[in-house]
Amino acid sequence: MMSRTQITLEPEMQRRARQRATELGISLAEYVRRLVADDLGGEQSTADPARVFDLGSSSGSDIAKEKRAMIAKAFAGGRRKQHRA
C-alpha cells in the first residue's frame, strides 16, 4: 500500500520533471518514486505502462468507428434472448 506525500517544487523544476516523465511515458508521481528508490538503493518499480496495451486481439474490429453498431447488435441480441425465454 502506498501513502500520499506532498512535495513543493520550483515551477521550472516541476516543468522539467513533468517533461522528463512524459518522455519516459510515466506519471510525475512514478518519476519521483523511481528517483527516490534509486537514491535509497531500493528496487525500482517494475511497472511498465506498456503492459496494458496489446493484451488481446481485436480481430480487426475498430470499436471507435463501430461502437454504435456493436452496441445496437448487443442490445438486439439481448432482447431476442429475453423474448425466447
Side-chain angles (χ1 to χ4, degrees):
M1 183 173 174
M2 293 193 189
S3 61
R4 183 177 290 267
T5 302
Q6 183 174 346
I7 62 170
T8 304
L9 300 172
E10 293 177 7
E12 178 62 16
M13 185 180 293
Q14 182 186 27
R15 184 193 68 76
R16 291 177 60 204
R18 282 190 186 280
Q19 181 179 3
R20 181 65 179 137
T22 300
E23 291 169 2
L24 295 171
I26 59 175
S27 67
L28 177 60
E30 178 63 19
Y31 178 66
V32 172
R33 281 191 291 270
R34 289 181 184 187
L35 291 175
V36 171
D38 186 51
D39 184 62
L40 297 176
E43 293 182 27
Q44 284 190 333
S45 172
T46 57
D48 180 8
R51 289 183 183 180
V52 298
F53 298 102
D54 297 327
L55 291 177
S57 172
S58 69
S59 301
S61 69
D62 187 346
I63 294 174
K65 291 181 180 177
E66 302 169 9
K67 67 182 176 191
R68 289 187 178 164
M70 291 175 159
I71 292 170
K73 185 177 177 181
F75 273 101
R79 285 189 195 126
R80 277 187 241 135
K81 288 179 183 176
Q82 290 176 354
H83 291 298
R84 290 180 188 166

